[in-house]
Amino acid sequence: MIREREWETAVREPLASAPPDATTLVLVDGAAGTGKTRFVKWLLALREFSSMPRLKVTFSPSGAVALQEQAPLKGPASPVPRNGSLRRPAGTRPMALGQPRQAALATSSLGELAASLDSGGPVLLVAENVHRADEEDAHALRTLLAHPPAGLRAVLTYRPEELARPGLVLGAPVGYPAEMSLVRLRLGPLDEAEVRAMAVEALGEERCSAPFVTRLHERAGGIAQAVADLLTELKAAVALPDDKPTAPGPARLTARHVDEAPVPVRLTELVVGRMAALDDQTRRLVWAAAVLDDLGTEDELASVAALSAEHGRTALTAALSEAVLHELGLGRYGFRMPMEAAAVYPLLPGPVRRELHGRAAETLAVRRPAPWARLARHQFAAGRIPEWLESVEKAAVDAVEAGDHQLAISLLEDVLAHPVVRQPDRVRLTLMLARSAYNGLRSDQTVEVLRRLVDDPELPAAVRGEIRLDLGLLIGNQVGRPQEGRAELIRAVRELGAQRALAARAMAALAPPYWPTGPLAENLAWLARAETTAAESGVAAVQAAVAANRVTVLLSVGDPDGWRELAELPRESDDPRILHHAARGLFNAADSAVWLGEYARARELLAEGSELAARNGDAYMEQGSRGTALRLDMVTGNWAGLNARARALVADAGEMPYVACDGLIVLGLLAVAKGNWSRLGDWHFGFLAGDDCPVPVAAVAAGSRIRPAQAREDLEGAAREAADAWARLKAKGVWVWAAELAPWAVEATIGAGRLDLARDMVDEFAAGIESRQAPAATVALIWCRALLAEADRAFPEAADGFRHARACYRELPRPYEAALAAEAAGRCALAGSPGETTAGIAELTTAAEELERLGATWDLARVRAKLRAHPGAERRPVGRPRYGEQLSPREQEVAELAGAGLSNREIAATLHLSPRTVEQHVARALKKLGAVSRLELAGTVRGGERDR
């Protein structure tokens, strides 16, 4: 990890590289919880110090000393346990250590112990928590360090905030000899990346969304122990399923989970314990800091605590001296982390807390610019409801203007949850929430809040229609319930009536064919109505919205006119709404370009859309662009790091399956290619197999489910999957989306003995993409026709068809499909005339090389099995090779597939072996690699290649 690398440079190298008789002192400075104990464990585990005489002294809060010895020291001593510890009660003297046996100790002071360190060679002394040492022990350490034995390597750890005399580690100056090397290591807070690593280790990557990690880092202040304890509290407080999260859902942790987690006991006792020494005025000032829950100046803290300037200064000095408060910026004071304030806050009596919140509101009201969100919190806690509502509204307006729709959503959801809000205020604030929810990323409460409002019979119809419009968009585009969202949008069209601009927006939202509900003709009808209504409205922003949707519809179906109309979308405007819709059009076009096979265009559009969205502050669209980029890298063969990126997207999507779709697609496709079929159900079933799944996504997921079914020889199951997916495409009528399904669906239909039906499917596909500009669908059709030729045993024709498909895939580029086409061409060549054997073997060899570069473990194993099975392929020398403790090539293939999650029967089908033979190979691989389970095998063999 990062910290260990820092310690290597700062500590290990100076200690290990010093001459044998040199003396070195390392002072490890770290506040409570920053990792001093972890540092000591790391140090004592280093190989350089394993054979060196070493002594560990730990000073405890009670004044006791624990001594520990790893190697014999010079001088008389009594036996004690190796790796054991001995403690003395407060008021008694510490004792020296000897040989590893339990018995009474001979020496009686730390001073005498110091004399035993003169071993004639390097010796390591580790003294932990020296801020707790009494004067007698501190004096002994000062004496030892002023007159160290040759070869002494001393490491002292301490909390700077708890030193008896600030700046003096051992309570008084030490006369360090000139030849001693002094090193200081300061242990500070973890950064967000380090906190994320801890969270992922504790909870699993899929559960750690970006907002969750950010809030975890903020609330714990990056203090390692606080992070660890808070993660323990979260695991106990939040019901987490076993380590197989499926589609986005409640297992995804959010910032709200962090806020609602209790303060860890260890931290509470530390803070409350430090407060015990405070007088009444100092305690009141600390209470004020806990209520303020923000950094404050000396005057602000005194004002909230109702102390005079003089008494406030005295109280602040005392709070700083006891390390309860800290100076965290020039002239700005507060708790080291938000959780410390949360530990103190419940200790306040209710009337005192209300009074402090009132004064906090008055204090913050004079700041410029006014911190409206914080001000609102204090006003509500003080019972000042009208002022609270005004501040919340101003805070939400500021957040929207700054493009921070997430903050606006959070503020408005919280205020609308309170029954004290009157109906006129509720309507106004709900409209703000609906608009922010459409532009931002929805949180858990938003849908329910909007639903309650539109069901209110007292709400005016026009207002209800506007709220319902945004509710429909939210439900359809983010929540992932398109049928429900479509119904809400149709109702909104009726309720909006003469409000042409809003009605046009609702109609335009019903136009894109991505949703599975309704045929393409119905989508086109809504688009026509939207264009007419937008023109009647005369509102430029609405016309821009409809224009963006028109581009989306045209490109979704592969209409070449879509590219011309995309170029006409405005890139410059003084109206941010127009820029919003232009950026949306660019991102939608990039998404369509990936489905169509226009990959160079897709990258250009992503870059242009990201620039425009960032300039306009559109977070939701930037989130969506991550998914498009993932799919683009998947199909173009850029698989390095793809698994982790896709998992992060799924985790960040939370409970928004539409946002997670692209991540789920990529994870499922990688699972198939790498043979990790045990995880395929996590990604390509659930939402991606349901009725609400977007049509092109459902097609990809169906294709990925067909392939393993065929490999398992479940031919009827594969054919049923193909028929269901084909029927969904036929119902929608957008045949360019068959590019990712058609080859597998046709192959499955042929495999089930329904060749005539397969011919009809290919003819239907061909008619559906005629006159469309869709390179991916065009090459998929070539593949399908080659499959029909193979089924007719016209092997030369089939081989040529697959070679044509391979050339087209390479040009796109799609290296994975190009390799699979090479495999198919080689298969047909070998099945045809003997004269094609050399070409067929060459094509299979090429396919194997390309699949190996991609890391497609399952496909690679299948191709290699075909090569070995053919008489004309290169054969190994006669005689049984001796591999000893090394894996044979076959054992390695089996180990990779077993570690990826395939069963013995699935491996046998892939490699053309018997299940019994596979079982024997797995057993030998486990024994040779020292692995205890199948899951360890792939990582052991390939060094974790499965997660590339």
Side-chain angles (χ1 to χ4, degrees), residues 330-344:
L330 185 61
R332 311 281 290 179
Y333 305 93
F335 289 96
R336 184 176 53 152
M337 68 182 88
M339 275 202 305
E340 291 182 337
V344 174

Side-chain angles (χ1 to χ4, degrees), residues 455-467:
D455 291 341
D456 186 344
E458 297 181 12
L459 198 66
V463 174
R464 181 184 292 109
E466 184 173 356
I467 295 173

Side-chain angles (χ1 to χ4, degrees), residues 675-855:
N676 194 5
W677 295 354
S678 62
R679 298 305 305 270
L680 181 61
D682 298 338
W683 313 127
H684 279 195
F685 287 81
F687 177 76
L688 265 59
D691 293 336
D692 288 328
C693 184
V695 180
V697 174
V700 176
S704 73
R705 294 191 296 269
I706 289 170
R707 296 187 66 201
Q710 288 182 287
R712 297 185 184 109
E713 298 182 350
D714 180 11
L715 302 183
E716 284 300 321
R720 281 195 304 272
E721 187 79 62
D724 291 345
W726 201 262
R728 179 184 293 228
L729 273 174
K730 187 173 183 177
K732 176 55 70 175
V734 182
W735 286 104
V736 296
W737 287 339
E740 312 304 322
L741 170 68
W744 313 123
V746 169
E747 185 174 351
T749 305
I750 293 170
R754 297 161 193 161
L755 183 55
D756 288 342
L757 176 58
R759 295 188 201 282
D760 292 342
M761 292 166 65
V762 174
D763 290 342
E764 194 168 31
F765 181 27
I769 65 172
E770 189 177 357
S771 78
R772 301 301 186 189
Q773 183 176 325
T778 300
V779 65
L781 179 60
I782 296 171
W783 185 313
C784 291
R785 286 172 170 158
L787 287 169
L788 292 177
E790 184 181 14
D792 288 334
R793 304 189 64 80
F795 295 118
E797 179 186 344
D800 288 343
F802 286 124
R803 287 164 187 151
H804 185 193
R806 169 173 168 77
C808 293
Y809 277 128
R810 293 185 69 184
E811 187 177 352
L812 285 179
R814 290 186 65 155
Y816 179 59
E817 285 76 9
L820 296 183
E823 176 195 0
R827 180 182 69 225
C828 291
L830 293 177
S833 65
E836 291 292 308
T837 298
T838 301
I841 291 173
E843 284 166 323
L844 287 178
T845 302
T846 297
E849 292 169 352
E850 294 175 0
L851 291 168
E852 185 171 26
R853 279 196 293 272
L854 286 167

Side-chain angles (χ1 to χ4, degrees), residues 48-80:
E48 293 91 329
F49 306 121
S50 60
S51 60
M52 183 184 296
R54 57 191 193 176
L55 185 68
K56 177 184 171 190
V57 183
T58 302
F59 296 92
S60 72
S62 64
V65 177
L67 306 178
Q68 197 171 44
E69 184 183 11
Q70 289 287 348
L73 300 178
K74 174 184 174 181
S78 297
V80 296

Side-chain angles (χ1 to χ4, degrees), residues 17-94:
S17 63
D21 60 346
T23 56
T24 304
L25 170 63
V26 179
L27 297 174
V28 183
D29 167 331
T34 51
K36 297 182 295 300
T37 300
R38 174 183 155 201
F39 167 80
V40 169
K41 289 180 180 178
W42 168 83
L43 180 72
L44 293 177
L46 293 178
R47 179 171 41 83
E48 293 91 329
F49 306 121
S50 60
S51 60
M52 183 184 296
R54 57 191 193 176
L55 185 68
K56 177 184 171 190
V57 183
T58 302
F59 296 92
S60 72
S62 64
V65 177
L67 306 178
Q68 197 171 44
E69 184 183 11
Q70 289 287 348
L73 300 178
K74 174 184 174 181
S78 297
V80 296
R82 182 183 301 270
N83 297 327
S85 66
L86 294 168
R87 302 176 63 85
R88 63 180 172 92
T92 64
R93 291 177 176 272

Side-chain angles (χ1 to χ4, degrees), residues 879-914:
R880 190 176 187 85
R882 297 181 179 275
Y883 293 102
E885 292 305 307
Q886 301 296 315
L887 295 183
S888 71
R890 178 55 60 84
E891 288 168 349
Q892 179 163 324
E893 284 180 349
V894 170
E896 290 170 5
L897 294 176
L902 269 68
S903 68
N904 287 354
R905 187 169 297 277
E906 290 165 345
I907 297 170
T910 298
L911 300 180
H912 305 292
L913 302 172
S914 72

